[in-house]
Amino acid sequence: MLRTRLCDVLGIEMPVIGAPYGPFDQVDLAAAVCGAGALGSLGTAVRPVADLRLQWARMRELTDRPFAINHTLRPLNEKAFQATLDERPAAISFHLGVPDDLVGRAHDAGILWIQQVMDIHQAEQAVCAGVDVIVAQGGEAGGQGGEVATMVLVPQVVDIAGDIPVVAAGGIADGRGLAAALSLGAQGVAIGTRLLASVEMGIAEEWKNRIVAAEARDTIKVVHSDRFMPPFSRSGAYGWPRSLRTPFLEDAEAHPERVQPAEVGPRIVEAMLTGRGHEYLPFTGQSAALIHDILPAAEIVRRIVDDAETILRRTTELCTPSVRH
């Protein structure tokens, strides 16, 4: 079994992190990922604190293994963050900015910090903040991200991370992606879109089926998302969603001036909280082109790790000089 320093830091068996999905209920998925020996994650975006506490309680009923709770700066819900500190998960993951003051609060509570970065500047900030793990997320990823490609960003982050384990994210959906990430110097991978298309993920089957049917170019960066998504709560934060196309997005991108933020924003939040988010923003990365079925999460994780082991073993054999007698 592949084991890297990331496993030792996070207390897991496989160098895989399941991505968080903002407002979507993913407790069953996260627990299944934990059960497979990887790190499951739970999102918090736009959910009431009481609802989050119920999710965390259910998570602890389903697994006694480490898991992460995610927060972002779009926006930061201080009450939800404090509730997370009180909950004391194994780790807090964070995205769309590097808040060094929050890193300190988590460490004071004995909680590890997983910082997702989208460029080398954020990576430098993360190193200075003393984070425990850095996720280098390429622009291929679904959800909210930047523009630098994974193959470029990961080596850059590895070069400055020192002893901090680096995790590759964006465009990774199978063992080839994990093998490539390890070859670039990463200590593991974060998987998002591949786990959206899992049995346990609590999203509409229509969304899962669209992922299975999609090609890479069926996903788009939503550059006018500021017109309808929650605002960033601190200066310097940024990020744009990548999503499958919908009539709403096609119109919003072609005619952003038509979008009325005060009306559309709340409508999208309400849709996400009631299971209809895919009608507006079915977050999906370019790795959808590599996904051809909907599988149990534990099987997805095991296949990725097993296939990466096989690939790395074969690569080593191919690169070993033959001995002439």
Side-chain angles (χ1 to χ4, degrees):
M1 183 183 298
L2 285 178
R3 186 173 183 88
T4 69
R5 186 165 176 272
L6 177 73
C7 300
D8 298 329
V9 170
L10 296 178
I12 56 179
E13 299 165 12
M14 298 184 180
V16 175
I17 296 174
Y21 303 109
F24 303 101
D25 184 346
Q26 63 177 105
V27 174
D28 291 339
L29 169 61
V33 170
C34 291
L39 186 77
S41 301
L42 299 174
T44 60
V46 306
R47 288 238 174 223
V49 173
D51 186 13
L52 296 176
R53 288 198 175 103
L54 290 174
Q55 289 190 18
W56 301 340
R58 185 155 59 95
M59 183 70 176
R60 293 196 185 278
E61 290 175 357
L62 294 174
T63 183
D64 60 358
R65 299 194 178 190
F67 64 91
I69 295 176
N70 179 259
H71 291 270
T72 81
L73 288 178
R74 191 170 208 176
L76 175 66
N77 182 330
E78 173 57 36
K79 290 183 179 179
F81 186 80
Q82 182 58 52
T84 301
L85 296 179
D86 296 339
E87 182 68 21
R88 281 176 169 68
I92 289 174
S93 62
F94 206 90
H95 190 30
L96 304 179
V98 185
D100 52 0
D101 57 320
L102 303 186
V103 177
R105 288 170 63 188
H107 284 166
D108 288 344
I111 302 170
L112 297 171
W113 191 274
I114 302 171
Q115 179 66 51
Q116 190 157 296
V117 303
M118 300 176 288
D119 57 41
I120 193 64
H121 176 63
Q122 287 188 340
E124 291 168 343
Q125 289 180 309
V127 172
C128 291
V131 306
D132 301 287
V133 174
I134 299 176
V135 178
Q137 184 209 43
E140 304 96 318
Q144 300 184 69
E147 299 172 297
V148 183
T150 303
M151 287 288 287
V152 175
L153 182 60
V154 172
Q156 283 187 299
V157 177
V158 168
D159 285 346
I160 68 167
D163 293 333
I164 302 172
V166 175
V167 173
I172 299 168
D174 56 27
R176 293 171 294 184
L178 174 54
L182 295 176
S183 298
L184 292 173
Q187 298 287 309
V189 294
I191 305 296
T193 300
R194 170 66 273 201
L195 287 172
L196 278 175
S198 67
V199 172
E200 294 87 350
M201 183 57 196
I203 58 172
E205 290 301 311
E206 177 187 348
W207 186 355
K208 297 181 185 182
N209 291 331
R210 286 196 65 192
I211 291 172
V212 171
E215 295 294 335
R217 293 184 66 187
D218 292 332
T219 71
I220 58 172
K221 274 287 194 184
V222 187
V223 297
H224 296 294
S225 60
D226 286 351
R227 299 285 299 176
F228 53 82
M229 291 196 70
F232 295 102
S233 55
R234 297 192 185 188
S235 61
Y238 76 98
W240 303 272
R242 182 180 290 280
S243 171
L244 292 169
R245 301 172 189 272
T246 63
F248 164 75
L249 288 182
E250 297 279 8
D251 188 60
E253 289 300 288
H255 304 286
E257 72 282 355
R258 295 180 183 173
V259 178
Q260 301 299 319
E263 185 272 327
V264 175
R267 176 152 45 99
I268 293 175
V269 169
E270 190 272 338
M272 288 186 172
L273 294 178
T274 56
R276 297 181 297 104
H278 63 286
E279 297 174 8
Y280 295 89
L281 268 171
F283 299 117
T284 302
Q286 290 181 334
S287 64
L290 304 173
I291 299 168
H292 309 299
D293 46 24
I294 299 168
L295 297 172
E299 183 176 347
I300 291 171
V301 171
R302 284 194 291 266
R303 280 192 185 187
I304 288 172
V305 175
D306 289 347
D307 289 350
E309 284 186 298
T310 300
I311 292 165
L312 292 170
R313 190 181 308 116
R314 289 175 178 171
T315 302
T316 300
E317 292 170 356
L318 285 172
C319 295
T320 301
S322 59
V323 178
R324 295 184 180 181
H325 297 283

